[in-house]
Amino acid sequence: MDNARILIGFSAAILFFIAALSFSLQLAHDASAAIGQADVENQHKDRNLDQTLRIADVMQRTGAEVIHTIRLLPQTQVELLVEGIVYRPEMDVEALSLRSIPQQKTYHAQVIRNETGEIVRVIYQ
């Protein structure tokens, strides 16, 4: 009878230990997820982080954004190559027919710079 009481006590202690261990692991996981989410949400607020790390990202644009970029060509002074057609800053953008550019298509931008680091051409593929 005394051995059964000791066995039940050990069993209860082991169950409490396992419950506390699983609870602490779940709590640590939730805290880690919350910290990661807060970091992702606040990254755009730090200008230094945005300027240094975002440069290496692959720039993706929709066709509508590419069309808007073509409309701003006279102000940018950068050549654009879209769907095999070269758009130069000196072109009359109001006279251009941009219907050949699908607005929902996703384009990857490749930036070409000169030896001083200025952007000379952007290729949308």
Side-chain angles (χ1 to χ4, degrees):
M1 185 76 162
D2 201 29
N3 289 338
R5 193 172 294 164
I6 293 173
L7 185 62
I8 291 173
F10 279 138
S11 299
I14 289 173
L15 285 176
F16 284 133
F17 177 74
I18 290 174
L21 184 63
S22 65
F23 180 71
S24 64
L25 287 176
Q26 183 65 38
L27 192 62
H29 175 69
D30 291 345
S32 172
I35 290 171
Q37 184 66 27
D39 181 48
V40 167
E41 294 294 327
N42 290 323
Q43 277 184 354
H44 71 282
K45 294 180 182 178
D46 186 4
R47 289 187 182 190
N48 294 328
L49 183 68
D50 224 21
Q51 290 176 355
T52 56
L53 293 181
R54 298 292 184 255
I55 294 172
D57 286 350
V58 176
M59 293 191 303
Q60 291 186 353
R61 303 285 182 257
T62 63
E65 291 172 325
V66 171
I67 291 172
H68 183 69
T69 305
I70 293 172
R71 297 271 184 219
L72 295 174
L73 268 180
Q75 290 92 1
T76 59
Q77 300 298 321
V78 174
E79 283 186 356
L80 298 176
L81 178 66
V82 183
E83 300 279 336
I85 301 171
V86 177
Y87 297 97
R88 291 187 172 80
E90 58 272 359
M91 297 174 87
D92 183 18
V93 292
E94 298 299 324
L96 293 174
S97 175
L98 302 174
R99 293 183 185 158
S100 63
I101 301 173
Q103 293 186 7
Q104 301 301 324
K105 184 177 178 181
T106 302
Y107 289 93
H108 297 283
Q110 177 185 4
V111 177
I112 298 176
R113 299 176 184 267
N114 62 9
E115 56 276 347
T116 61
E118 297 173 353
I119 298 175
V120 213
R121 179 181 268 192
V122 179
I123 301 171
Y124 289 104
Q125 299 174 348

